Amino acid sequence: MNPKALALCAALVALAGPASAQTPGWTQTGMLTCKLNPSIGFIIVGHQSMECRFVPSMPAPPQLYEGALNTVGIDIGVVGGGALAWGVLAPTAGVPAGALAGNYVGASGDVALGIGVGANVLVGGSNRSFALQPLSVEGSVALNVTLGLSALQLRWVP
């Protein structure tokens, strides 16, 4: 893997920082985990479909979502699947069913040769009232480099 690409990815993740530092007064309301479907990057634009599950911090049933992560920037390679996990931050403690549905934007970085790592820091949802902070790095099986701006679309599956 190109050391410059790896360094650039690490710098992007470091600059993005934890969303909690960027959103004072917000609280973690749960965890969103997504299973990535296989995809192919097309140099300037990438598309990654996924199935997601939100588990609230407060006692409430899990919520299911379908999503698509679109990236504009460098996206070269093939992803055989994987997973993402985000801490969901909001200004209030409770999250009504379906409230995470909507559009999110932010920065993404990923480097993979076999098993890869990456992170996506995103803000959006209902009235741009949620922040998705990477709780763990992306786990994927791929030959891929991604660095750019991303838009995540989440659709609630009732």
Side-chain angles (χ1 to χ4, degrees):
M1 185 54 53
N2 181 338
K4 287 183 182 179
L6 184 58
L8 194 53
C9 178
L12 175 67
V13 171
L15 286 174
S20 59
Q22 299 168 358
T23 53
W26 287 30
T27 183
Q28 184 168 339
T29 60
M31 185 166 158
L32 180 69
T33 56
C34 298
K35 179 184 151 253
L36 304 175
N37 296 321
S39 71
I40 298 173
F42 295 104
I43 302 178
I44 296 174
V45 177
H47 175 82
Q48 182 77 57
S49 63
M50 58 187 77
E51 288 84 36
C52 303
R53 178 183 167 117
F54 172 67
V55 178
S57 298
M58 299 176 72
Q63 302 172 23
L64 300 179
Y65 293 86
E66 292 178 344
L69 184 64
N70 296 298
T71 303
V72 175
I74 299 170
D75 191 350
I76 303 170
V78 177
V79 177
L84 293 170
W86 287 287
V88 177
L89 304 173
T92 60
V95 176
L100 293 182
N103 297 312
Y104 296 77
V105 295
S108 293
D110 178 274
V111 176
L113 180 58
I115 295 178
V117 297
N120 303 276
V121 178
L122 305 167
V123 175
S126 305
N127 299 318
R128 297 185 54 83
S129 58
F130 295 99
L132 303 181
Q133 173 184 343
L135 286 181
S136 62
V137 293
E138 177 179 336
S140 61
V141 178
L143 175 57
N144 193 58
V145 173
T146 303
L147 184 61
L149 299 175
S150 291
L152 171 65
Q153 297 172 328
L154 282 180
R155 185 177 68 82
W156 183 40
V157 181

